């Protein structure tokens, strides 16, 4: 396999061909914020937080789906990118109903982490207070659409790792939401094996275990990574 | 079938018919004003006058001057009647024999007609779209025959490249280069896709071509298939175009019967079949990766490119996607030669472009003009100006485009010039606006469209268009402050630069262009106390 050399935020790095800029950045120790990326499942480039500047290209490209090219010079962090990222997170907060104080994921939420990282102490955009529902029909789990950021990590995990494809996205624009089955209550979807992978995948408090109270919900994302490694490389130990 | 047989069908079609043809537009525009009843009334009148041997009434596609429809033309007398009703239709027939028609005659020497340069629209309104023999009668399918028999694929691509044709779907990517890219992919399953989604508000060019001359598009697609090494094609049409779908189905069936589509076309080794896929009519499905996903049966969501469809398209195979008008140019280019085509238009934008001219303009309709013509010539000469007023702006490019102010009406119509003034060619909607139009409201209209049409996959587009719409509404209500205006500008910049696909990347354009040319309209809407002593410009 051939190796590509490139520069990210001034750090030189060599990485195998076919790797993404995100992988390269992580190996080089350069932090790039992400939300829709989840190790072990496919990338969709939806949240746009990982956009980076590439010398000689006037378009911003998502690090999670862009393959490295020999000699690339990448800027992953600068004031412009930071401002865009902050606006994206602000828009997410004003789009849903994210009331951290009463959320099961408080303190263990990737959206919250992003807000802190990007210095977002309030949203400059007016809150939209959409009417969204909560589905408690599943025996063990529940989804609160008020906290969903539409990263589709649950969709991909359930489809690509569990193979059940319980989740999908329905409707469009502001009305878009993740649905279970054919937009049935989750508890009525026979395909669900109650494996809990979607629970582990969700970055926010949207999908949670019933019975968890405020700030109790911690997720074991390594479990998903472990399963992928186990299947792909036949390594069954952690 | 060989060339002689094909020509014979055409010859027979030309000689066996009555010498006088009364053409009645039955494309969607006129059909909505009941032109089918007019056709019936004309038929009855011919029968009653006992003129069946001399006069034939045929239904044809759009005759371009849709604003004055329903239209009826008498050929070779050379008269076109406007706003025909079933009641005055018989008088058109009696006028052939010296009577007086009660229908109003349209001036065919009007610049609306004379400034046109028909290539894509050469047969529109002249032939019956439901009869393949009529298309063959005007030389149709001869180019397909000839390339299969005489021209190696590489030379077909070379010819298209030399013609300088660029994609008519909006972005203007060089067509020859796209064909060459797909052709160079390793041999194997490849596809040709015709993008007939046409979602821009105000645009109806592609629909008119499909309803009026569907075989032209099929011929272009088959030639493309031959050139890139594909044996299967798809036409993706929106469900809102039932007449176009019906005529395409008829056309495909007829072509298959003659051995012009299907396997072993013209008894050669080239196979090409064409399937129709009906879309539910979402603007975003016109974006090529979303369109591919929709044809595959998935949700019409765009995905990041690369890989481009030319590398990985339908079911992972190399796929050529072109717009209806792009395909409609192909046969004419091969017939008349690349040099001929390249001699029309400007240095970087060759050939003609079809526009749907609408809005506050006297002459509404379908026009095909050589690139390089100015907006002023289109709006003032062809369009006949604005009823009782002056032009304020011309909107091109739909929700991805922008408003060009009257002061820039001398801008020429070509990809680069339109982009330079902050708009774009787009697929061909051209909306003329008068002094009474609020540009902020126009911006909000397009934002409302995008807000409703975004697929919702990525945050900047899904949430950004809602926030921008909200701010524009606040402005229009007189509740916005300077901070809101600044934020609106910041959102334009952010949504444009961070969205995943063309929809989000261009959604802010109508706002950006109106901010650029009509800033005083925005300022005058600001809440007075927010202006820090500065006086708002009143409109
Ligand atoms: C949101 C969006 C909508 C589009 N809609 C259309 C359409 O309706 N018809 C079309 O031909 N191209 C449309 N396009 C452009 C296509 O994605 C594609 O570039 C085009 O079909 C390529 O054909 P061409 O090279 O012949 O122009 C759209 C693009 C975007 C981003
Ligand atoms: S619990 Fe498992 S099977 Fe059920 S929806 Fe979640 S990931 Fe899919
Ligand atoms: S429920 Fe969670 S994982 Fe699924 S899309 Fe929403 S935020 Fe993402
Ligand atoms: S830019 Fe808009 S339409 Fe395109 S993928 Fe993102 S949300 Fe969907
Ligand atoms: S992590 Fe790359 S776009 Fe979301
Ligand atoms: S639809 Fe009849 S003239 Fe255009």
């Amino acid at each position: 396999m051939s190796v590509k050399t490139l520069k990210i935020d001034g750090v030189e790095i060599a990485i195998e061909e076919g790797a993404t800029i995100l992988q390269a950045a992580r190996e080089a120790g350069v932090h790039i914020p992400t939300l829709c990326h989840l190790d072990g499942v496919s990338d969709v480039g939806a949240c746009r937080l990982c956009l980076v500047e590439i010398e000689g290209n006037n378009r911003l490209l998502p690090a999670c789906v862009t393959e490295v090219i020999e000699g690339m010079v990448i800027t992953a962090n600068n004031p412009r990118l930071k401002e865009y990222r902050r606006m994206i997170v602000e828009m997410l907060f004003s789009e849903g109903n994210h009331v951290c104080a009463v959320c099961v994921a408080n303190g263990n939420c990737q959206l919250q982490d992003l807000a802190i990282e990007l210095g977002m102490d309030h949203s400059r955009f007016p809150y939209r207070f959409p009417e969204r529902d909560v589905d408690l029909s599943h025996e063990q789990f529940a989804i609160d659409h008020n906290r969903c950021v539409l990263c589709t990590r649950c969709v991909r995990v359930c489809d690509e790792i569990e193979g059940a494809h319980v989740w999908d996205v329905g409707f469009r624009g502001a009305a878009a939401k993740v649905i279970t089955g054919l937009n049935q209550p989750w508890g009525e979807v026979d395909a669900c094996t109650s494996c809990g992978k979607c629970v582990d995948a969700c970055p926010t408090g949207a999908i949670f275990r019933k019975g968890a109270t405020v700030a109790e919900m911690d997720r074991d994302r390594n479990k998903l990574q472990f399963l992928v490694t186990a299947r792909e490389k036949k390594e069954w130990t952690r | 079938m060989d060339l002689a047989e094909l020509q014979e069908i055409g010859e027979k079609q030309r000689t066996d018919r009555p010498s006088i043809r009364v053409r009645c537009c039955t494309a969607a525009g006129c059909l909505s004003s009941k032109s089918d009843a007019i056709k019936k009334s004309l038929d009855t009148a011919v029968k009653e006058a006992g003129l069946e041997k001399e006069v034939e009434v045929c239904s044809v596609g759009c005759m371009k001057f849709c604003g004055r429809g329903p239209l009826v033309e008498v050929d070779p007398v050379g008269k076109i009647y406007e706003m025909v009703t079933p009641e005055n239709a018989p008088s058109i027939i009696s006028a052939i024999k010296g009577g007086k028609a009660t229908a109003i005659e349209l001036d065919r020497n009007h610049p609306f007609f004379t400034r046109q340069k028909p290539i894509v629209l050469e047969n529109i309104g002249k032939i019956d779209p439901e009869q393949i023999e009529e298309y063959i009668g005007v030389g149709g399918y001869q180019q397909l025959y000839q390339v299969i028999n005489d021209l190696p694929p590489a030379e077909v691509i070379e010819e298209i490249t030399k013609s300088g044709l660029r994609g008519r779907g909006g972005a203007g990517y060089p067509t020859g280069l796209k064909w060459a890219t797909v052709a160079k992919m390793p041999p194997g399953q490849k596809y040709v896709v015709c993008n007939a989604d046409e979602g821009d508000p105000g645009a109806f060019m592609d629909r008119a071509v499909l309803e009026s001359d569907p075989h032209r598009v099929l011929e272009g697609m088959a030639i493309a298939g031959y050139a890139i090494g594909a044996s299967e094609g798809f036409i993706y049409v929106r469900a809102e175009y039932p007449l176009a779908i019906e005529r395409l189905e008829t056309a495909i069936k007829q072509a298959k019967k003659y051995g012009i589509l299907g396997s072993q076309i013209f008894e050669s080794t080239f196979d090409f079949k064409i399937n129709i896929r009906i879309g539910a009519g979402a603007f975003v499905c016109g974006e090529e990766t979303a369109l591919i996903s929709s044809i595959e049966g998935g949700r019409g969501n765009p995905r990041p490119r690369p890989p481009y469809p030319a590398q990985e398209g339908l079911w992972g195979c190399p796929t050529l996607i072109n717009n209806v008008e792009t395909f409609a140019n192909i046969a004419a280019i091969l017939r008349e030669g690349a040099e001929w085509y390249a001699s029309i238009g400007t240095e970087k934008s060759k050939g003609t472009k079809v526009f749907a001219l609408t809005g506050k303009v006297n002459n509404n309709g379908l026009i095909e003009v050589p690139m390089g013509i100015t907006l002023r010539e289109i709006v003032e000469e062809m369009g006949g100006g604005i009823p009782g007023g002056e032009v304020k702006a011309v909107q091109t490019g739909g929700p991805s485009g922008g408003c060009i102010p009257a002061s820039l009406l001398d801008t020429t119509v070509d990809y680069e010039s339109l982009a330079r003034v902050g708009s774009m060619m787009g697929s061909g909607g051209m909306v003329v606006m008068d002094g009474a139009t609020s540009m902020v409201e126009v911006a909000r209209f397009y934002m409302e469209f995008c807000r409703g049409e975004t697929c919702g996959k990525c945050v900047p587009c899904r949430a950004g268009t809602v926030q921008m719409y909200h701010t524009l509404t606040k402005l229009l209500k007189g509740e916005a402050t300077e901070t809101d205006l600044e934020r609106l500008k910041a959102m334009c910049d952010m949504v444009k630069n961070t969205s995943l696909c063309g929809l989000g990347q261009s959604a802010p354009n109508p706002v950006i262009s109106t901010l650029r040319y009509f800033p005083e309209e925005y300022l005058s809407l600001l809440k007075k106390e927010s202006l820090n002593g500065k006086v708002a410009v009143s409109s």
Side-chain angles (χ1 to χ4, degrees), chain A residues 114-182:
Chain A
L114 279 164
I116 295 165
E117 177 192 334
L118 296 166
M120 185 205 124
D121 44 16
H122 71 290
S123 170
R124 289 166 290 180
F125 303 109
Y127 282 84
R128 286 156 48 192
F129 304 111
E131 229 173 88
R132 291 188 177 172
D133 52 356
V134 181
D135 180 357
L136 295 162
S137 61
H138 194 283
E139 227 173 82
Q140 301 173 37
F141 317 124
I143 171 156
D144 181 349
H145 289 281
N146 291 295
R147 296 174 185 140
C148 173
V149 290
L150 279 165
C151 64
T152 68
R153 279 159 55 157
C154 54
V155 178
R156 286 171 281 148
V157 157
C158 184
D159 180 42
E160 296 169 20
I161 303 187
E162 179 60 7
H165 201 133
V166 170
W167 296 94
D168 217 319
V169 180
F171 316 98
R172 70 176 183 226
K177 67 185 268 201
V178 284
I179 53 171
T180 36
L182 295 169

Side-chain angles (χ1 to χ4, degrees), chain B residues 321-337:
Chain B
I321 300 192
N322 275 134
N323 165 261
V324 171
E325 193 183 326
T326 312
F327 283 124
N329 268 299
I330 301 301
I333 292 174
L334 293 171
R335 186 184 68 219
E336 308 289 338

Side-chain angles (χ1 to χ4, degrees), chain A residues 15 17 44 64-65 70 83 99 155 161 164 166 190 198 206 208 237:
Chain A
I15 192 159
E17 184 177 6
V44 289
C64 64
V65 290
E70 178 61 38
E83 175 59 17
V99 190
V155 178
I161 303 187
V166 170
D190 293 338
C198 55
F208 58 93
T237 46

Side-chain angles (χ1 to χ4, degrees), chain B residues 284 302 453-458 461-462 499-505:
Chain B
V284 65
E453 292 293 320
T454 140
C455 78
K457 177 172 174 169
C458 67
C461 174
R462 177 183 76 228
S499 288
L500 193 162
C501 84
L503 195 156
Q505 286 160 7

Side-chain angles (χ1 to χ4, degrees), chain B residues 44-92:
Chain B
T44 322
V46 169
K47 252 187 228 127
E48 278 171 5
L51 291 171
E52 288 109 317
K53 285 235 163 55
E54 293 158 70
V55 182
E56 179 193 30
V57 180
C58 54
S59 74
V60 295
C62 180
M63 309 214 289
K64 301 176 188 169
F65 217 144
C66 312
R68 299 282 175 83
L71 300 185
V72 173
E73 183 184 14
V74 185
D75 183 50
V77 182
K79 287 192 168 158
I80 303 184
Y81 298 98
E82 62 176 55
M83 301 195 210
V84 180
T85 60
E87 290 71 40
N88 65 16
S91 75
I92 292 176

